[in-house]
Amino acid sequence: MFDEYLKEREQKYNEPFREFTHSGDYLPYVDGKPRYKGVESFLKSRDIDIPFGNPDDPIDKETCCGLGNRKNEIFNEILEKEGAKVYESTVKIIEELKEAGIKLGVASSSKNCKPVLESVNLLDYFETRVDGIVSAEMGLNGKPEPDIFTVAADNLGVPYDRAVVVEDAVSGVQAGQKGNFGFVLGVAREANAFELRSNGADVVVEDMEETGGVEGIEKWFAEGLKEDMWHLTYIDYDPVRESSREALLTAGNGYFGTRGAFEELDANPVNYPGTYMAGVYNKMESKIEDRIVENEDFVNVPNWLLLTFR
């Protein structure tokens, strides 16, 4: 659908055609998001500005909703012809959880959630369904906001800190983290383990059988959650956030403290190694609006962490 539209723009506006790709476009801009928001997000990434439109726009109307409806028509044709496929390991764990008396709900941005689950005889496994249709009726925000997950947990009567969110989309694990759920499990179906982990997944697996089933989930709540609550963990190097991370990861004992900077780095526009000692500070007086204001600032003492290589 996107390729057809981009080719239309090439003819209509003389814009160079650049193919819509799975890893470069679908995963970062469309995956996991409500239908029209996904369309809008992708178009913005290409600097394409068209009206958002209304959900009842016809498929030939050049709006985000019109394109979304065009995409949905194609999707339903494929679903009718080919049906949906299941991951047997996932179905096995669903059955195991059901037998153990664990409450199950499905939360999805898709308005096609029900027909997809019906096509593979899984609908009856879930006690609640909060999908794109329910979201529209209730005015819920789509992922990465946690609304669909919090409503599903509320419907099940499950506290958020005792609930597990299972997601394969970055926007989904972001929603799980925002909602402060007890266990956010990322399933890396798209070789996106790093993206899922760095955006909020507590644990990332490539297949649900790696979770260890009910026993593995119970182990997380008994051991993993407690450890996670007492740790600040960053798995990537983000220049934009590095300064605040160094401050948050300061190690100190009341007498002196050292910012959590990498040992091999000098001060630069991104990083600021620093060690500060109690009682070692500068005092300065400044005149501000006819008042003398006295400031006391810690002095950065010599950096004892520095490593050099030769």
Side-chain angles (χ1 to χ4, degrees):
M1 186 282 295
F2 282 121
D3 280 344
E4 286 180 4
Y5 177 64
L6 293 172
K7 287 175 181 176
E8 289 174 11
R9 292 189 67 88
E10 182 181 38
Q11 298 294 322
K12 191 174 180 180
Y13 304 113
N14 199 30
E15 296 177 354
F17 170 76
R18 182 154 56 92
E19 183 183 14
F20 178 90
T21 66
H22 185 74
S23 59
D25 298 309
Y26 174 75
L27 290 179
Y29 303 117
V30 180
D31 189 25
K33 295 179 181 176
R35 183 186 306 166
Y36 308 128
K37 289 293 184 181
V39 173
E40 182 183 47
S41 175
F42 166 68
L43 294 179
K44 282 185 176 180
S45 76
R46 296 286 184 95
D47 295 321
I48 297 173
D49 184 19
I50 63 174
F52 187 81
N54 298 296
D56 57 355
D57 282 351
I59 62 174
D60 58 350
K61 191 165 185 177
E62 193 176 359
T63 64
C64 293
C65 292
L67 294 178
N69 291 337
R70 191 190 306 184
K71 178 171 76 78
N72 187 56
E73 186 174 87
I74 296 170
F75 174 83
N76 280 294
E77 288 176 3
I78 295 172
L79 181 64
E80 187 175 342
K81 291 177 183 177
E82 302 178 13
K85 297 178 182 178
V86 298
Y87 292 92
E88 294 298 338
S89 57
T90 301
V91 176
K92 182 179 178 182
I93 285 185
I94 289 174
E95 292 173 342
E96 183 183 342
L97 292 167
K98 195 75 173 176
E99 289 176 7
I102 305 297
K103 295 182 178 182
L104 297 172
V106 58
S108 171
S109 298
S110 176
K111 292 183 177 180
N112 296 305
C113 177
K114 184 179 179 182
V116 168
L117 290 175
E118 285 177 330
S119 72
V120 289
N121 299 315
L122 288 176
L123 184 62
D124 292 339
Y125 281 88
F126 302 101
E127 298 174 46
T128 187
R129 186 185 80 255
V130 182
D131 57 13
I133 295 174
V134 174
S135 293
E137 292 173 351
M138 296 183 64
L140 303 180
N141 294 310
K143 296 181 284 189
E145 297 304 318
D147 297 26
I148 60 174
F149 296 121
T150 56
V151 170
D154 291 343
N155 291 346
L156 294 172
V158 176
Y160 305 154
D161 64 336
R162 296 297 300 169
V164 182
V165 169
V166 181
E167 260 289 350
D168 66 350
V170 167
S171 60
V173 296
Q174 289 174 331
Q177 184 188 54
K178 278 189 175 184
N180 289 320
F181 286 89
F183 188 17
V184 181
L185 177 64
V187 186
R189 302 286 192 201
E190 306 282 356
N192 58 343
F194 175 80
E195 289 79 5
L196 293 173
R197 185 72 178 88
S198 60
N199 278 280
D202 296 311
V203 173
V204 175
V205 297
E206 292 185 1
D207 191 273
M208 285 297 288
E209 66 181 0
E210 298 172 35
T211 63
V214 173
E215 185 178 336
I217 293 171
E218 288 179 341
K219 185 177 180 181
W220 166 262
F221 282 101
E223 302 173 12
L225 180 59
K226 185 184 296 184
E227 182 176 337
D228 182 66
M229 290 170 66
W230 284 99
H231 284 80
L232 278 177
T233 305
Y234 304 104
I235 67 167
D236 63 338
Y237 179 78
D238 186 343
V240 175
R241 297 182 173 90
E242 195 62 22
S243 179
S244 61
R245 289 179 179 182
E246 287 179 356
L248 289 170
L249 296 176
T250 295
N253 64 358
Y255 295 96
F256 73 94
T258 298
R259 285 169 60 87
F262 291 118
E263 294 92 335
E264 68 273 16
L265 294 176
D266 285 315
N268 59 60
V270 173
N271 305 94
Y272 191 72
T275 296
Y276 305 92
M277 301 180 68
V280 181
Y281 58 89
N282 280 335
K283 185 180 290 186
M284 181 177 178
E285 292 183 348
S286 303
K287 188 174 183 179
I288 301 176
E289 293 185 353
D290 298 325
R291 292 177 57 202
I292 299 299
V293 177
E294 186 177 87
N295 290 311
E296 296 177 354
D297 297 308
F298 277 119
V299 175
N300 192 349
V301 302
N303 180 18
W304 62 280
L305 291 179
L306 187 63
L307 297 178
T308 58
F309 302 87
R310 58 188 296 175

